[in-house]
């Protein structure tokens, strides 16, 4: 079992194509270990017979946040399996480091806590964001204060205590796009965080455009099979060190089995995203021409996410699909559809929700790897005219949102 895995890519590794990195990053040492598949280290603790040396390593971590050399100390501090995933994701995003968490919201919470620990509690943000991200910022649950603005107003919204500017592009659920490079310029010295969950590094790499922090709900496309939950932040090593300290103190660690599944998911990420994007583009073409559909939203960079507004009752579509799964979340190999105003963005105040383009007739679809003709046939029958079903409990107001 390999217990000495660095979270920074080896300097000797040459520049490689993205698809090659997706398959090999985080696994470059396997052949030398006599392994083909990455091992899973489920240990929660590790033996050390030199307490003085161990104390020095722990002191060093507490001071710097840098991962200790040698064997791991404790699973809340580091784990070799999750370390492989962090290495791989950092390379795919072009980052110096990456830090993994138990969920996307745990990852965002750690970023906010890290900035707040430096006295920088103010956040400038652009709507729409994922509903729970919006709620976390707006409710001030972590002691933060948010100023909502449009991209053109970012520079004017920045204050001396601003620790972060946050955008999501393409946005959840409207798929609105923001010019990352222009926003990064407007931020000046304030770090720009880009939620890259929808695009993934297959379609865009925000750090190359001037962003300093990239956030992923790894539960979605990075895992890709609807069977693992996680979050990850890609950034430079200086900020990663602070995030590790926050993670150690708060306990939002990624389980090693989840780290293994996410590393495995990255190997097929380019193939999955590109194949699903082809089907999504074809569905967009057909939905745009369908008289039952009022408007279709699809980003210029492409991708596998499609949002559309219907003239009729959107709940009839949700209840009418048979192949497509009516469920929260996204990015799986199978297609999912949901009604954001009822689920993922229900927690956002109605006025704010509508002002950011999340209408009551908007549906969001995550296109999977099924044959496009089967997906279209399912959408067609769900969109077809028919009697309006009686009100369902799912249409009642929810107190919290779930899933992206």
């Amino acid at each position: 079992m390999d217990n000495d895995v660095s979270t920074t890519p080896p300097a000797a590794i040459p520049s490689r194509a993205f698809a090659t990195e997706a398959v090999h990053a985080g696994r470059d040492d396997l052949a030398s270990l006599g392994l083909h598949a990455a091992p899973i280290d489920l240990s929660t603790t590790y033996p050390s017979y030199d307490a003085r040396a161990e104390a020095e390593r722990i002191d060093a971590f507490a001071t710097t946040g840098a991962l200790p050399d040698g064997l791991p100390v404790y699973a809340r501090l580091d784990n070799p399996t999750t370390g492989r995933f962090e290495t791989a994701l950092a390379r795919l995003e072009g980052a110096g480091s990456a830090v993994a968490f138990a969920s996307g919201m745990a990852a965002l919470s750690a970023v906010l806590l890290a900035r707040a620990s430096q006295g920088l509690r103010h956040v400038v943000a652009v709507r729409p964001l994922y509903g729970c991200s919006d709620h976390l910022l707006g409710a001030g649950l972590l002691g933060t204060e948010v100023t909502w603005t449009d991209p053109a107003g970012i520079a004017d919204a920045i204050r001396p205590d601003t620790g972060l500017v946050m955008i999501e592009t393409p946005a959840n659920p409207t798929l609105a796009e923001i010019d990352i490079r222009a926003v990064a310029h407007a931020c000046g010295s304030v770090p720009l965080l880009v939620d890259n969950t929808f695009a993934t590094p297959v379609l865009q790499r925000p750090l190359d455009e001037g962003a300093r922090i990239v956030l992923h709900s790894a539960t979605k496309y990075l895992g890709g099979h609807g069977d693992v939950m996680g979050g990850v932040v890609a950034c430079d090593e200086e900020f990663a060190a602070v995030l590790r300290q926050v993670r150690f103190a708060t306990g939002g660690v990624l389980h090693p089995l989840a780290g293994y599944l996410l590393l495995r998911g990255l190997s097929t990420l380019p193939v999955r995203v590109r194949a699903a994007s082809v089907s999504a583009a074809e569905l967009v073409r057909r939905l745009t021409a369908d008289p039952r559909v009022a408007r279709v939203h699809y980003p210029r960079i492409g991708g596998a996410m499609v949002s559309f507004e219907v003239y009729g009752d959107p709940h009839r579509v949700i209840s009418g699909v048979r192949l497509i799964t009516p469920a929260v979340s996204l990015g799986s190999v199978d297609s999912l559809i949901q009604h954001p105003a009822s689920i993922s963005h229900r927690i956002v105040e109605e006025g704010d929700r509508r002002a950011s383009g999340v209408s009551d007739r908007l549906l969001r679809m995550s296109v999977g790897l099924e044959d496009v003709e089967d997906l279209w046939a399912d959408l067609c029958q769900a969109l077809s005219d028919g009697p309006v079903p009686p009100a369902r409990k799912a249409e009642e107001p929810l107190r919290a949102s779930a899933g992206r």
Side-chain angles (χ1 to χ4, degrees), residues 89-113:
L89 191 278
R91 290 188 66 86
L92 292 183
E93 282 288 5
S97 296
V99 184
F101 295 86
S103 69
M105 291 308 301
L108 176 58
S109 297
V111 171
L112 296 176
L113 289 172

Side-chain angles (χ1 to χ4, degrees), residues 101-324:
F101 295 86
S103 69
M105 291 308 301
L108 176 58
S109 297
V111 171
L112 296 176
L113 289 172
R115 298 303 284 161
S117 71
Q118 299 167 341
L120 302 170
R121 297 182 177 274
H122 180 242
V123 178
V124 176
V126 177
R127 280 187 171 122
L129 297 174
Y130 165 49
C132 282
S133 298
D134 188 306
H135 178 66
L136 181 63
L137 293 176
L141 294 173
L142 298 179
T144 55
E145 178 188 352
V146 62
T147 296
W148 298 103
T149 185
D150 57 33
I154 287 175
D156 292 337
I158 290 175
R159 310 185 322 207
D161 64 336
T162 302
L164 194 70
V165 174
M166 181 174 179
I167 64 173
E168 182 174 5
T169 180
N172 185 353
T174 66
L175 303 179
E177 294 179 275
I178 297 175
D179 186 331
I180 297 174
R181 187 172 294 277
V183 170
H185 179 75
C187 290
S189 61
V190 177
L192 170 62
L193 180 152
V194 176
D195 187 330
N196 204 30
T197 299
F198 275 22
T200 79
V202 176
L203 300 178
Q204 70 180 12
R205 301 213 306 180
L207 298 179
D208 292 345
E209 302 299 316
R212 289 169 56 185
I213 305 169
V214 176
L215 174 73
H216 285 275
S217 172
T219 309
K220 312 309 191 292
Y221 285 104
L222 303 190
H225 293 76
D227 58 4
V228 59
M229 183 169 286
V232 65
V233 177
C235 55
D236 61 25
E237 172 56 26
E238 181 180 1
F239 190 58
V242 182
L243 290 178
R244 292 189 199 105
Q245 291 177 311
V246 172
R247 182 178 65 182
F248 180 75
T250 60
V253 297
L254 183 71
H255 191 275
L257 180 57
Y260 169 82
L261 290 172
L262 290 172
L263 179 67
R264 188 177 68 172
L266 289 184
S267 63
T268 60
L269 177 66
V271 177
R272 288 186 285 105
V273 169
R274 289 168 182 151
S277 298
V278 171
S279 293
E282 176 59 20
L283 291 177
V284 165
R285 186 185 69 81
R286 299 185 188 190
L287 286 167
T288 302
D290 195 302
R292 297 166 295 181
V293 176
R295 188 178 181 187
V296 179
H297 304 264
Y298 190 64
R300 288 172 296 176
I301 64 170
M305 297 301 301
V306 179
S307 292
F308 57 98
E309 299 170 51
V310 295
Y311 285 113
D313 183 358
H315 298 285
R316 288 174 52 200
V317 180
I318 294 295
S319 64
V321 291
R322 295 295 177 263
L323 175 66
I324 302 164

